[in-house]
Amino acid sequence: MPTLAQIRQEVSKRMGRFASGTATGGSTTTLVAANNALFYGDSNTPSDDLYPDWWILPTSGNESGNIRRVKQDGFAPATGTFTVPTAYAWGTGPANTDTLELHGILHPTTIKEAVNRALRKMHHLYTFPLTLVPDGTMDEVTNTANWTASNASLAKTTTQAQVLHGTRALSVTASSANGYAESDAIPVEENKEYFAATFFKGVAAATTPKLVAYDATGSAEIDSETWTTGGDGGIQFAFTTPSSCRSLKLRLQVVENSKVVYFDNAILLASERRLYPLPSFVLNPEAELQEIYRLKNDRFTYHDVYLVHDWEVFNDITGQTQYNVRLPDGTTTQPYWVQMWRRFDELSADSDSTTADLDWVSAGGLMECYKLLRAEAPSADVGAWEDRLNEARSDFRSKTRRFVPRKAIRVRSGLLDRT
């Protein structure tokens, strides 16, 4: 998966006027790279007018991320030295082995913003469960704000080897036996049947995940199940709320001390309930939502599902969420899955990665950069930037058709059992 740093570098290379390397030293106003033919030679090779006004971005070391601009006469090829204005001196300065990037057309932050604008226009096929649990998909927020730790440490993980569905899982590491993550309280009806489920990936040997339905009103466990076989799997069970139970929490528990489980999805459904909240990442349900279905069995295959017909989306007039989906027949004691086109998440840190193809997101980022350059160019240069923009736009549209083959997906959906 490409990182933000890799995408930024690729976009800058395609625009031209980009270089990267490793420093051999520096000071608060200089960066020395006397180890690279791009930056170091005699007085003529490379030319001393190559890098005036370029942005220099240290990408490791004490000054990592602290962007400065090379002075108009600030490149000395005889020593491989770049000089920045004294008024914008670094606090410590680059040092030997620090890595660096040089950008000659746009500020690196501007390129990052262009990449994120492109990601907001790019979509991928994504499946999530209907659930009454806040952040039950584990993908609504990047933090663990909707989960409370008890004798455990919590974190969100995006590591593919730890995520079964979607893009994130909740890591629960027990600091004593039976440590758990507890969901926010969920309003429920007394004496009513509910269904709870969770999934996990790569459970290690001698590690036991446990799912607990907990009566928050009466402070008592209602029901629970464990998983003892390791590997990938899930726990699911139906239960009935006790009399006087008005609030319920799900606990994602690890039985053994010092063990970790990556819980992916926390599902709570009410028997025959028709209206369910949609997660906050659903922004345009009429265009984004594709199918809603439940499995015929425990195998997660497209040929073993029942499609839900005639579902509808409504604005949530209570303001608790943005949209609700209405199922004509209500839910049963099985997970219900929603397939949608979801836009890619934006990237913040250089190490943040995306599942978007590198060429695709780079084409989109380049297109957004050329839009900005065209808008800010002197009138004499607008035509040149327009030509580059049209080329980049054509490339981006071509790759979008390749990676978002909507017609192919819909034809494949037609093969589903609609009984």
Side-chain angles (χ1 to χ4, degrees), residues 341-369:
W341 288 105
R342 181 179 176 181
R343 73 179 188 177
F344 286 95
D345 291 338
E346 296 184 26
L347 305 176
S348 179
D350 271 10
S351 58
D352 287 352
S353 62
T354 178
T355 56
D357 176 80
L358 176 60
D359 284 340
W360 184 21
V361 67
S362 296
L366 186 64
M367 177 185 69
E368 295 298 327
C369 286

Side-chain angles (χ1 to χ4, degrees), residues 202-372:
V203 177
T207 301
T208 308
K210 184 177 181 180
L211 176 62
V212 178
Y214 186 79
D215 178 359
T217 307
S219 302
E221 180 179 311
I222 302 172
D223 202 349
S224 65
E225 294 285 348
T226 58
W227 174 273
T228 59
T229 56
D232 301 349
I235 300 170
Q236 57 185 34
F237 56 84
F239 63 95
T240 301
T241 52
S243 299
S244 302
C245 177
R246 297 291 185 179
S247 180
L248 183 147
K249 298 180 180 181
L250 288 189
R251 290 179 175 177
L252 309 180
Q253 194 162 313
V254 182
V255 173
E256 297 84 6
N257 182 26
S258 301
K259 299 293 186 177
V260 58
V261 175
Y262 305 103
F263 290 94
D264 199 344
N265 298 319
I267 298 172
L268 180 69
L269 304 175
S271 181
E272 299 181 347
R273 178 176 173 138
R274 298 183 180 184
L275 202 65
Y276 282 90
L278 290 173
S280 58
F281 51 71
V282 177
L283 303 175
N284 183 7
E286 294 298 333
E288 293 171 347
L289 299 190
Q290 299 292 296
E291 305 286 4
I292 300 178
Y293 56 89
R294 62 183 175 88
L295 305 187
K296 289 183 178 180
N297 50 47
D298 291 335
R299 292 179 297 161
F300 194 76
T301 61
Y302 284 104
H303 295 287
D304 296 298
V305 306
Y306 290 112
L307 282 182
V308 176
H309 298 288
D310 301 323
W311 47 269
E312 299 176 273
V313 174
F314 299 93
N315 291 328
D316 184 4
I317 60 175
T318 68
Q320 295 180 352
T321 187
Q322 190 168 3
Y323 299 106
N324 287 309
V325 63
R326 180 185 179 278
L327 311 183
D329 299 321
T331 51
T332 62
T333 53
Q334 285 182 297
Y336 282 70
W337 301 90
V338 182
Q339 189 178 76
M340 69 173 289
W341 288 105
R342 181 179 176 181
R343 73 179 188 177
F344 286 95
D345 291 338
E346 296 184 26
L347 305 176
S348 179
D350 271 10
S351 58
D352 287 352
S353 62
T354 178
T355 56
D357 176 80
L358 176 60
D359 284 340
W360 184 21
V361 67
S362 296
L366 186 64
M367 177 185 69
E368 295 298 327
C369 286
Y370 284 150
K371 285 182 182 179
L372 181 62

Side-chain angles (χ1 to χ4, degrees), residues 29-285:
T29 56
T30 62
L31 184 150
V32 182
N35 58 357
N36 189 323
L38 287 173
F39 313 134
Y40 178 63
D42 58 31
S43 59
N44 297 313
T45 307
S47 172
D48 60 3
D49 63 358
L50 270 178
Y51 303 105
D53 294 328
W54 284 40
W55 287 275
I56 188 165
L57 167 62
T59 51
S60 67
N62 290 330
E63 300 298 343
S64 180
N66 295 329
I67 302 167
R68 300 293 186 267
R69 201 163 193 177
V70 181
K71 291 175 63 177
Q72 180 67 34
D73 57 350
F75 174 54
T79 58
T81 301
F82 298 89
T83 303
V84 303
T86 303
Y88 301 99
W90 282 298
T92 302
N96 184 39
T97 73
D98 289 356
T99 54
L100 66 113
E101 295 175 10
L102 283 158
H103 298 263
I105 296 181
L106 286 175
H107 192 287
T109 301
T110 302
I111 300 174
K112 168 187 171 180
E113 292 168 351
V115 167
N116 281 327
R117 281 197 300 275
L119 286 169
R120 292 197 296 268
K121 297 176 181 178
M122 299 164 56
H123 293 75
H124 60 104
L125 201 61
Y126 173 82
T127 302
F128 66 90
L130 292 179
T131 179
L132 297 172
V133 180
D135 191 32
T137 66
M138 307 304 180
D139 275 348
E140 283 202 72
V141 294
T142 59
N143 56 41
T144 60
N146 294 110
W147 298 91
T148 301
S150 177
N151 295 319
S153 58
L154 312 181
K156 288 289 183 70
T157 176
T158 58
T159 303
Q160 285 185 305
Q162 300 164 354
V163 178
L164 192 61
H165 307 125
T167 58
R168 293 183 183 87
L170 179 66
S171 168
V172 180
T173 304
S175 55
S176 66
N178 294 309
Y180 59 82
E182 184 175 73
S183 73
D184 290 342
I186 306 154
V188 294
E189 300 178 46
E190 60 183 350
N191 298 317
K192 185 174 179 63
E193 186 179 42
Y194 284 82
F195 169 78
T198 189
F199 303 92
F200 25 77
K201 187 172 184 180
V203 177
T207 301
T208 308
K210 184 177 181 180
L211 176 62
V212 178
Y214 186 79
D215 178 359
T217 307
S219 302
E221 180 179 311
I222 302 172
D223 202 349
S224 65
E225 294 285 348
T226 58
W227 174 273
T228 59
T229 56
D232 301 349
I235 300 170
Q236 57 185 34
F237 56 84
F239 63 95
T240 301
T241 52
S243 299
S244 302
C245 177
R246 297 291 185 179
S247 180
L248 183 147
K249 298 180 180 181
L250 288 189
R251 290 179 175 177
L252 309 180
Q253 194 162 313
V254 182
V255 173
E256 297 84 6
N257 182 26
S258 301
K259 299 293 186 177
V260 58
V261 175
Y262 305 103
F263 290 94
D264 199 344
N265 298 319
I267 298 172
L268 180 69
L269 304 175
S271 181
E272 299 181 347
R273 178 176 173 138
R274 298 183 180 184
L275 202 65
Y276 282 90
L278 290 173
S280 58
F281 51 71
V282 177
L283 303 175
N284 183 7

Side-chain angles (χ1 to χ4, degrees), residues 365-393:
L366 186 64
M367 177 185 69
E368 295 298 327
C369 286
Y370 284 150
K371 285 182 182 179
L372 181 62
L373 289 165
R374 180 192 60 177
E376 296 182 348
S379 57
D381 296 335
V382 169
W385 290 119
E386 180 74 25
D387 290 342
R388 290 195 180 191
L389 172 58
N390 288 336
E391 183 179 349
R393 182 184 286 121

